[in-house]
Amino acid sequence: MGARGTHMSVCTRLRPACPGLSHTRTARHGGPSHVRPSGRGRARAVPTSAPLGAGGGAGKRRTMAAAAVGPEAALPALAQQLGLAARAERLSGLETVRRLTGLFREARPREMAEESMFQSLLKILTKASCEMELACKDSMELVTLDTCLLLIAECFRCLRNACVRCARNQDIMRNLGLIEVSVHLIQLLHGLEVEQESLLAALRCNLQFLGNLAAGNGDSQNSIWKCAFPDLFLNCLNHHDEKIITYCCMVLFTCLNSEKVKELLEHKNLNVALAVVKIYRKQLESEWSFLIVTDHLLKCPELVKVMYAKLSNQERITLLELIMAKISEKNSMTSDEMAVLLKDAEFLASLFQEKCHDVLTLTSAANTEDEEAIVTIRLLDVLCEMTSNNEQLEHLQTCPGLLETAVDTLRLTHLAGKQTTNIFTATHSMTGEGEISHPAVGLKSHLIRLIGNLCYRNKENQDKVYRLDGIPLILDNCSIDDNNPFVNQWAVYAIRNLTEQNERNQEVIAQMEQQGLADHSILENMGLEIEKRDEKLILKSIRKNPTS
């Protein structure tokens, strides 16, 4: 127990397990997400091997018929039909595009696709975009847009499938200007004040296309960012449709890098980062928003500070939970990543010191939902977890005022629990009734845990606790307390760290026991006993019989 490494994790949200290919995620998200997190807990953008097509009945039979004659024979005919549709005055070619969508599920047809096919799809989308703009000017025309929207959605399904693991097609589409057309159509569709499934499908497929176009292709990522940031992201992240939000997060995650994250610091751009945190709070199973925060946003300490200032208390709690998930990862960190985390640790420690007294409002039963106090408790949780890591511990052990704040807060809450009966009053029910539901449950345990961690093999902090009269305070919290699970174990742990190679602190406890100020049975339960040696009282460990 003397080792600091023995600790209980308070992490409530682990990093999502790496999902399989996009097909395995379709049932939950309602559509393919062709960029997936992968590899030792790190997230990277990779395309899937088999994107979903249009699906359904007759379309599948036509695809099977085309496949029966082989892609080599089917593609030229479909390319010719697509070219005719692109040159036609009126919008047409839906069935041809559907057949291509099906063919592009396979790698061989994707590799054989000629640039002229993508040119034809671009012409069809450009024509559809013109029709949409005309319809926007005449509200009466909006009701007739269903066919146009179906064609737009199918074109983007086709393009989406053609991008998968095919850098050549990604480059062709980007060079043709399909990114600009895609972004323009998304903004156009977003502005339509109509509620119909075909419009949502067009938006979803468009975003999926951008996600696949960006996957593993830095030039495409940069082009999308240039066209879409920040307006497209702001519009889609705040959309009412959950799938559109999910696909937008996918595109954002794929395009982000360290340089682009810095752009989020600008006033209007900051709203993109804030929107991602809010999305995660509302949709706790959103893997993309989780990864955007943990793999990108938290790597910019300046952004963390600005975001924290702008978030509501409930959103701050969400951000702190995401930080907890990040620091609880068992993956090794680079020196740069650790440097960033240490800056975050300093910031969080300063917030805790500033707000620590807010927890005293919880002495009143009427304030159990006090959000300021709950934020402070979450800050303490994160600091406890941070001090369970060697490098972060060493940094926080020298953080000015942190140890003093922890001891002072423990003293105030302990005193408050003795003055009146409240959540800080030690209680022990012999009946073992149900768990107590209160945000401050475990607060004193975690304060003692933090004190113990900060004193781990640190003589200066051991002496500091002595000067603050923290040792008697910790000993007074050694009894079983239903409001503070494991408080006895954390007190034992703290006392061991306070007395390790520190004779003065050992002598303080020995004198307290002799004067009756420290319960002998409590020391015994800690595995400690007092021995008189050369007129001095020595605190030492009890050697247990290995056979007992």
Side-chain angles (χ1 to χ4, degrees):
M1 199 84 181
R4 180 198 46 76
T6 304
H7 71 279
M8 286 165 277
S9 176
V10 293
C11 179
T12 57
R13 170 66 157 88
L14 296 178
R15 187 183 190 83
C18 296
L21 296 180
S22 60
H23 285 71
T24 64
R25 298 171 49 178
T26 303
R28 181 164 67 179
H29 295 311
S33 299
H34 302 294
V35 186
R36 64 183 176 90
S38 67
R40 297 191 62 208
R42 290 283 179 261
R44 62 187 176 89
V46 291
T48 63
S49 59
L52 298 181
K60 285 185 178 178
R61 288 193 293 273
R62 280 187 294 272
T63 300
M64 292 173 64
V69 298
E72 292 86 350
L75 275 178
L78 288 175
Q80 186 177 15
Q81 294 171 28
L82 193 64
L84 291 172
R87 291 190 293 272
E89 289 188 13
R90 298 179 62 84
L91 279 176
S92 60
L94 180 58
E95 294 305 314
T96 301
V97 178
R98 278 179 177 162
R99 292 177 66 187
L100 275 175
T101 300
L103 283 182
F104 286 153
R105 292 183 182 183
E106 305 299 328
R108 182 63 177 157
R110 292 198 295 268
E111 294 165 359
M112 293 176 59
E114 295 182 1
E115 182 173 340
S116 61
M117 302 179 79
F118 303 129
Q119 289 175 333
S120 296
L121 288 168
L122 174 61
K123 290 177 182 177
I124 292 172
L125 285 170
T126 303
K127 202 184 312 181
S129 176
C130 292
E131 288 209 10
M132 295 295 298
E133 289 176 351
L134 290 173
C136 288
K137 296 175 182 178
D138 185 355
S139 59
M140 295 298 292
E141 292 291 328
L142 292 176
V143 295
T144 65
L145 283 178
D146 201 54
T147 301
C148 182
L149 290 169
L150 288 173
L151 183 56
I152 290 173
E154 199 59 46
C155 284
F156 282 118
R157 281 194 192 97
C158 185
L159 292 167
R160 175 198 72 189
N161 289 8
C163 285
V164 175
R165 289 181 179 168
C166 192
R168 181 184 71 93
N169 290 352
Q170 289 175 323
D171 293 340
I172 289 172
M173 293 177 196
R174 182 184 67 253
N175 294 333
L176 286 175
L178 272 160
I179 291 174
E180 290 80 359
V181 171
S182 169
V183 171
H184 176 68
L185 269 169
I186 288 175
Q187 299 293 52
L188 195 62
L189 295 173
H190 183 270
L192 293 180
E193 297 180 358
V194 292
E195 286 292 329
Q196 56 192 84
E197 185 60 30
S198 57
L199 185 144
L200 294 177
L203 277 170
R204 293 168 189 162
C205 292
N206 198 335
L207 287 166
Q208 289 171 349
F209 159 65
L210 289 178
N212 274 13
L213 189 66
N217 192 307
D219 289 336
S220 293
Q221 291 164 16
N222 293 334
S223 295
I224 292 169
W225 187 261
K226 183 178 179 180
C227 293
F229 183 79
D231 294 337
L232 180 144
F233 292 114
L234 285 172
N235 288 338
C236 293
L237 291 174
N238 290 290
H239 202 280
H240 64 83
D241 183 73
E242 196 170 303
K243 293 176 184 177
I244 288 173
I245 292 172
T246 297
Y247 302 145
C248 181
C249 285
M250 175 184 71
V251 177
L252 179 60
F253 172 81
T254 309
C255 291
L256 276 172
N257 58 30
S258 58
E259 291 303 314
K260 290 167 186 166
V261 166
K262 292 178 182 177
E263 293 184 41
L264 297 172
L265 286 165
E266 297 178 21
H267 179 67
K268 180 182 178 182
N269 301 347
L270 179 64
N271 290 326
V272 174
L274 298 176
V276 173
V277 176
K278 293 174 183 179
I279 288 166
Y280 181 77
R281 181 174 172 270
K282 293 176 183 176
Q283 305 173 21
L284 290 178
E285 293 304 312
S286 173
E287 293 169 357
W288 295 114
S289 59
F290 175 84
L291 291 170
I292 289 169
V293 177
T294 57
D295 279 30
H296 290 297
L297 306 190
L298 293 184
K299 292 183 177 180
C300 181
E302 298 79 12
L303 181 61
V304 172
K305 291 181 182 179
V306 177
M307 286 170 58
Y308 192 92
K310 295 288 185 179
L311 293 170
S312 68
N313 283 320
Q314 291 184 350
E315 291 159 357
R316 287 174 178 176
I317 292 170
T318 298
L319 180 61
L320 291 171
E321 288 172 351
L322 287 163
I323 293 173
M324 177 71 86
K326 180 66 177 177
I327 62 178
S328 299
E329 290 179 353
K330 301 306 179 185
N331 303 315
S332 59
M333 292 188 182
T334 65
S335 57
D336 289 342
E337 289 174 330
M338 182 55 68
V340 166
L341 196 55
L342 295 181
K343 288 184 180 180
D344 287 338
E346 286 181 11
F347 172 62
L348 297 177
S350 68
L351 289 173
F352 176 70
Q353 293 177 65
E354 180 185 339
K355 296 292 186 179
C356 61
H357 290 175
D358 288 342
V359 299
L360 295 174
T361 62
L362 298 174
T363 55
S364 170
N367 292 332
T368 56
E369 299 300 321
D370 186 292
E371 291 180 354
E372 293 277 356
I374 296 172
V375 169
T376 304
I377 291 170
R378 292 293 173 269
L379 283 166
L380 175 61
D381 293 343
V382 174
L383 290 172
C384 283
E385 195 67 24
M386 283 183 161
T387 52
S388 294
N389 173 281
N390 282 330
E391 291 187 65
Q392 295 164 49
L393 169 65
E394 291 172 6
H395 192 74
L396 286 170
Q397 281 178 323
T398 60
C399 184
L402 179 58
L403 180 59
E404 292 89 337
T405 298
V407 174
D408 184 50
T409 306
L410 178 61
R411 191 187 317 281
L412 291 173
T413 52
H414 189 55
L415 181 61
K418 288 190 170 185
Q419 290 176 335
T420 61
T421 302
N422 53 63
I423 189 61
F424 300 123
T425 304
T427 61
H428 180 47
S429 172
M430 300 301 292
T431 60
E433 295 177 357
E435 294 183 1
I436 303 168
S437 177
H438 192 287
V441 167
L443 175 67
K444 290 200 285 184
S445 293
H446 287 174
L447 285 168
I448 293 172
R449 175 189 177 188
L450 180 60
I451 294 167
N453 281 354
L454 293 174
C455 292
Y456 176 71
R457 295 181 179 176
N458 188 297
K459 181 69 162 53
E460 183 178 345
N461 284 351
Q462 289 175 338
D463 293 342
K464 195 175 291 184
V465 174
Y466 165 81
R467 293 193 297 272
L468 293 167
D469 285 331
I471 294 174
L473 178 62
I474 292 171
L475 287 173
D476 207 18
N477 279 278
C478 286
S479 302
I480 294 174
D481 181 1
D482 292 340
N483 291 336
N484 286 280
F486 307 109
V487 68
N488 181 265
Q489 289 91 326
W490 284 121
V492 171
Y493 164 75
I495 291 297
R496 285 185 176 277
N497 283 355
L498 280 162
T499 56
E500 185 179 17
Q501 298 182 3
N502 192 311
E503 290 186 5
R504 184 170 62 176
N505 285 355
Q506 293 176 18
E507 189 175 342
V508 167
I509 297 174
Q511 289 176 351
M512 287 179 64
E513 194 271 344
Q514 188 181 49
Q515 297 167 11
L517 299 176
D519 192 328
H520 177 76
S521 63
I522 290 176
L523 293 178
E524 193 173 66
N525 288 336
M526 288 183 175
L528 302 171
E529 67 176 3
I530 307 300
E531 180 182 286
K532 192 169 184 178
R533 187 187 304 166
D534 298 329
E535 301 302 318
K536 291 182 68 177
L537 296 172
I538 304 296
L539 184 73
K540 69 173 191 176
S541 297
I542 301 173
R543 291 186 178 180
K544 294 185 178 181
N545 188 337
T547 60
S548 62

